[in-house]
């Protein structure tokens, strides 16, 4: 029986684990352990890091893994780099599964920036900002003392955080009506988010369009050159099974 390691933590990773299990493939899903009470996929689950590419390569050899699917978050660049290096050292085939990114639609007012730091620099004095870039990103915005932030994350952020911040602990999916209510109740004028893609959090983009919010969109890092990359669970399942 083939044994496939899925580097997970995303909805696509969970769906892939379920699909491969149904096809008779033995799956091990790896979770970084950064989120409290994560949604677990079917099959075997491993939590915690590997110790960089050296540790991952050793684990692949010891566990006799036949293939690796990197289905981590599109912004998990460090994990992807470790997977690429470990796969190259061991000769284990590697596939990258990345859901497609978001695109502007009529009525949107987006500013695309390459980094979180540039996103922070694009916030003006007096802006009321809906910040949905994750709890680990808040220190980047800690010096934006002239703006007010509504920050949403699954787990509480660690300091430093902006002086004028209100944190909401929540996990998607979200509704357009709920997002519009947040925008209205907190008088928000700017949405700052990452180009994560997917359907679980698109409601904030629809709400921003309807409410006329300016959107600062942080571009995702490009996939590693020379590596096979697909955008759907079905494509990843066919590759991993074969």
């Amino acid at each position: 029986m083939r044994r496939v390691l899925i580097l997970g933590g995303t909805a696509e990773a969970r769906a892939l684990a379920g699909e491969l299990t149904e096809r008779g493939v033995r799956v091990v899903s790896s979770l970084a352990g950064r989120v409290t009470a994560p949604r677990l996929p079917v099959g075997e689950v491993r939590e915690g890091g590997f110790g960089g590419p050296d540790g991952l390569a050793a684990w692949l050899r010891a566990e006799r893994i036949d293939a690796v699917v990197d289905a981590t978050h599109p912004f998990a660049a460090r994990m992807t780099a470790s997977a690429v290096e470990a796969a190259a050292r061991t000769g284990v085939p590697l596939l990258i599964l990345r859901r497609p990114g978001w695109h502007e639609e009529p009525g949107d007012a987006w500013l695309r920036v390459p980094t979180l730091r540039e996103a922070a620099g694009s916030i003006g004095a007096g802006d009321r900002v809906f910040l949905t870039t994750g709890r680990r990103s808040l220190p980047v915005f800690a010096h934006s003392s002239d703006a007010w932030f509504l920050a949403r994350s699954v787990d509480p952020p660690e300091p430093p955080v902006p002086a004028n911040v209100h944190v909401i602990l929540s996990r998607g999916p979200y509704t357009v009506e709920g997002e519009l209510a947040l925008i209205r109740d907190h008088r928000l004028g700017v949405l700052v988010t990452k180009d994560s893609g997917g359907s679980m959090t698109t409601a904030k983009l629809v709400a921003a369009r309807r409410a006329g919010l300016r959107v600062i969109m942080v571009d995702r890092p490009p996939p590693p050159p020379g590596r096979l990359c697909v955008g759907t669970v079905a494509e990843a399942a066919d590759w991993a099974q074969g």
Side-chain angles (χ1 to χ4, degrees):
M1 181 183 292
R2 288 179 63 79
R3 196 166 190 225
V4 175
L5 171 66
I6 300 176
L7 303 175
T10 61
E12 291 77 19
R14 292 190 295 273
L16 178 60
E19 178 66 25
L20 288 177
T21 299
E22 289 184 2
R23 297 188 187 193
V25 177
R26 187 179 176 189
V27 171
V28 182
S29 295
S30 173
L31 305 181
R34 294 177 179 173
V35 176
T36 303
R39 292 169 176 164
L40 297 180
V42 299
E44 185 179 343
V45 176
R46 181 191 183 280
E47 291 196 59
F50 291 94
D54 292 338
L56 178 54
W59 191 90
L60 293 176
R61 293 190 186 100
E63 297 295 325
R64 300 181 180 275
I65 297 298
D66 296 298
V68 178
V69 178
D70 173 15
T72 55
H73 192 275
F75 282 81
R78 183 177 299 178
M79 186 66 246
T80 296
S82 290
V84 168
E85 187 171 341
R89 292 184 188 181
T90 59
V92 177
L94 170 68
L95 176 76
I96 298 173
L97 170 59
R98 289 288 182 272
R99 56 186 179 241
W102 292 317
H103 300 283
E104 287 182 80
E105 297 187 13
D108 285 332
W110 288 11
L111 170 66
R112 283 192 173 271
V113 296
T115 65
L116 283 167
R117 195 163 299 280
E118 291 200 32
S122 300
I123 295 172
D127 279 342
R128 297 183 65 85
V129 182
F130 190 11
L131 187 59
T132 64
T133 52
R135 67 185 181 94
R136 292 176 177 269
S137 71
L138 262 67
V140 178
F141 299 87
H143 300 294
S144 302
S145 58
D146 294 331
W148 186 89
F149 294 89
L150 176 69
R152 183 169 64 195
S153 61
V154 176
D155 292 319
E158 298 176 359
V161 299
N164 302 313
V165 62
H166 176 68
V167 178
I168 295 178
L169 301 183
S170 178
R171 190 197 301 264
Y174 303 102
T175 66
V176 175
E177 292 73 18
E179 303 291 60
L180 283 170
L182 281 179
I183 292 170
R184 179 182 62 253
D185 293 346
H186 295 279
R187 297 178 288 111
L188 302 173
V190 180
L191 168 66
V192 180
T193 191
K194 295 177 178 178
D195 187 7
S196 301
S199 60
M200 286 187 66
T201 58
T202 53
K204 63 189 173 188
L205 300 177
V206 177
R209 184 184 311 126
R210 292 185 183 177
L213 266 63
R214 182 166 61 97
V215 176
I216 302 174
M217 181 71 67
V218 182
D219 284 329
R220 58 174 62 178
R227 287 291 171 175
L228 182 60
C229 187
V230 299
T232 67
V233 169
E235 290 173 297
D238 288 343
W239 178 90
Q241 185 180 26

